């Protein structure tokens, strides 16, 4: 799995992989059933809603340890 390989490579480079992001075209910025089935606890999942080809919204999610559900993360994005 790509996530495991990326995490291993980050550790070899003394880095921490803290999360992943992906887009949901013409859908809300919330995890889908596919996301739930493929996610791993311990990472933040940033989901970007893309409407008509333009990014419109995003939200960060954490997966519960028992992998039963996502919970909204209070991550904030700061711009310079």
């Amino acid at each position: 799995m790509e996530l495991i390989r990326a995490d291993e490579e980050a550790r070899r480079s003394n880095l921490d992989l803290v999360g992943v992001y992906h887009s949901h075209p013409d859908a809300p910025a919330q995890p889908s059933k596919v996301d739930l089935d493929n996610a791993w606890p311990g990472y933040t999942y940033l989901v970007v809603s893309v409407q008509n080809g333009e990014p419109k919204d995003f939200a960060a999610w954490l997966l519960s340890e028992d992998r039963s559900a996502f919970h909204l993360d209070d991550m904030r994005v700061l711009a310079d």
Side-chain angles (χ1 to χ4, degrees), residues 2-79:
E2 290 179 46
L3 179 58
I4 294 171
R5 284 193 298 269
D7 192 57
E8 290 170 349
E9 179 63 29
R11 289 174 194 266
R12 281 193 296 274
S13 300
N14 293 319
L15 300 171
D16 293 315
L17 181 63
V18 297
V20 295
Y21 78 95
H22 68 282
S23 62
H24 282 189
D26 300 316
Q30 59 191 32
S32 66
K33 172 78 168 104
V34 172
D35 295 333
L36 183 62
D37 291 344
N38 292 288
W40 292 68
Y43 298 99
T44 297
Y45 291 87
L46 181 65
V47 181
V48 179
S49 174
V50 178
Q51 302 293 320
N52 299 313
E54 295 291 326
K56 293 297 179 189
D57 191 20
F58 66 90
W61 301 88
L62 297 170
L63 183 64
S64 61
E65 286 298 320
D66 66 3
R67 300 188 71 201
S68 64
F70 281 96
H71 304 281
L72 193 58
D73 190 351
D74 63 355
M75 182 180 87
R76 296 179 206 175
V77 176
L78 303 176

